[in-house]
Each structure stands twice: as C-alpha cells, then as structure tokens.
Amino acid sequence: MSKGMKIGCGVLGLLAVAAIALVSWAFGIRNQMVNYDEDVKQKWAQVQSQYQRRFDLIPNLVETVKGYARHERETLEAVIEARSRVGGVTQLDAKDLTPENMAKFQAAQASLSGALQRLMVVVEQYPNLKANENFKQLQDELAGTENRIATERGRYTESVQQYNRYIRQFPQFLLAGIFNFKEQAQFAAEESAQTAPKVQF
C-alpha cells in the first residue's frame, strides 16, 4: 500500500470517528431534551390531577350549601357555570401548552376560584352550615386541594424553567429546532395579583 493510500485511509478513519462522535453528541443532547420534556409532561399531569380533584369536589360542596342557602341561587349558579367552563379546558395536553392555551386554562381556573370565594362568603352567613360535619370535611378537602394545586404548579414551573433554559442554551438551541423541541408555557400571575388589595378598617 502506498504512503498516499495510507494517509487517505487514516484521514477517512478520523473523519468516520469524528462523524460518529458528532452523531453521538447530538443524540446525547436530544436524549437530555427528551428527559426534560417528559419531566414537564409529568409535572403538568400532576397539576391537572389536582385541578381535577377540585373540579370533582365542587358538586358535593354546592349540594351541601344548597340545603342551607336556598335563596343564594345566583352564587350557586355562578359556581356551577364556572365549573362547566373549566370542564372544557381541564384536560389540556402537555404538547398543547402554548401561551394562548395556558392563558385560557388559567382564565377558566381563575373564574372558578373567584366563584368559590364568593361561595365561601355566602357560607359565612349560615352558622349551621359552617358547623355541618359534611361541609367542614368538604371545606377541608377543598383547602387541602388548593394547597396541593399551588405545590404542583410550583413544581411544574421549576420543571419548565429547567427545560426552557436547557433548550435555549448553546449548543442545544441549534439542535432543539432540528428535533422540534419548543419552549413550554409558564403559568402567569393573574392581572388582579399585580395590584395590592385595598384594606379598609
């Protein structure tokens, strides 16, 4: 074998090794993106699970209040209506978490939260209802669910932050587009949360 052929074979061998290393590196990054993406999906599923739990508690809560507060029909109907709006967006798939879909999801959840707050104000007017064991248990479950929602939303936010940061860094952002990995939407504070509440004594 001539010296030129040996050099040519050596160069081809080096190019093959470099190509294999480059492909391995690219798929290593892709696998990490998949891991982060799956973590986001899992955290989103937990958020939905807690919202579903709240959604499922509401009919029992409304029925319990109905027995005591028959003339508070408007408040009860507002809760039922808000719950039905939430029903349309409760099962938002993780792959559909665009900023627009997230805004719709949050608006529906905020409407339901507001209706539930108004319901609790009504409950204050009925001491017998507040003392009812069934109602107290439902109220405790609802409060516990609200805490779990906050916890799961925090975990989701951290997971999305980690994922988004990873796919936006160099060199990952070069491969994110090739492998079709896009930024995930975050929860945003409601507009009402931007203004401090007025407290009057």
Side-chain angles (χ1 to χ4, degrees):
M1 186 182 285
S2 71
K3 189 175 182 183
M5 284 183 70
K6 286 182 183 178
I7 291 173
C9 286
V11 169
L12 284 177
L14 285 175
L15 287 175
V17 168
I20 290 170
L22 184 63
V23 168
S24 295
W25 168 80
F27 278 98
I29 288 177
R30 184 192 183 286
N31 289 342
Q32 189 60 45
M33 288 181 200
V34 168
N35 288 338
Y36 286 141
D37 186 51
E38 287 301 316
D39 188 57
V40 167
K41 288 176 183 171
Q42 187 269 331
K43 297 293 191 312
W44 178 247
Q46 292 293 40
V47 168
Q48 284 191 304
S49 174
Q50 295 310 316
Y51 276 122
Q52 184 67 47
R53 178 180 164 81
R54 177 175 76 168
F55 184 81
D56 293 342
L57 282 172
I58 290 169
N60 293 334
L61 191 65
V62 168
E63 286 303 314
T64 303
V65 173
K66 259 188 199 176
Y68 285 85
R70 295 197 188 285
H71 66 282
E72 301 291 351
R73 183 179 192 102
E74 185 178 310
T75 302
L76 294 171
E77 286 175 356
V79 172
I80 293 165
E81 182 182 324
R83 181 180 183 269
S84 70
R85 278 195 304 271
V86 165
V89 293
T90 298
Q91 296 304 320
L92 182 60
D93 195 285
K95 69 178 188 294
D96 296 327
L97 289 177
T98 62
E100 298 81 23
N101 286 342
M102 182 63 82
K104 287 178 191 172
F105 181 85
Q106 284 187 254
Q109 294 297 342
S111 172
L112 183 56
S113 293
L116 286 171
Q117 287 172 349
R118 289 190 299 281
L119 181 65
M120 291 306 143
V121 168
V122 166
V123 166
E124 291 297 317
Q125 299 170 15
Y126 298 92
N128 290 343
L129 173 59
K130 288 192 321 186
N132 177 287
E133 284 302 314
N134 190 28
F135 178 77
K136 286 198 296 190
Q137 180 184 356
L138 287 168
Q139 194 174 22
D140 288 346
E141 283 187 48
L142 190 59
T145 300
E146 294 294 339
N147 289 336
R148 287 198 274 300
I149 287 170
T151 299
E152 296 302 340
R153 279 178 59 159
R155 290 176 181 159
Y156 169 80
T157 297
E158 289 171 10
S159 180
V160 168
Q161 182 181 24
Q162 182 181 35
Y163 167 82
N164 286 346
R165 185 183 303 127
Y166 185 77
I167 68 166
R168 291 177 60 212
Q169 292 176 346
F170 181 82
Q172 291 89 282
F173 80 89
L174 297 172
L175 298 172
I178 293 169
F179 293 124
N180 202 28
F181 284 91
K182 296 178 176 99
E183 283 190 59
Q184 295 281 2
Q186 282 283 17
F187 278 101
E190 296 170 29
E191 284 187 36
S192 61
Q194 307 299 323
T195 308
K198 293 178 184 175
V199 179
Q200 295 177 332
F201 294 101

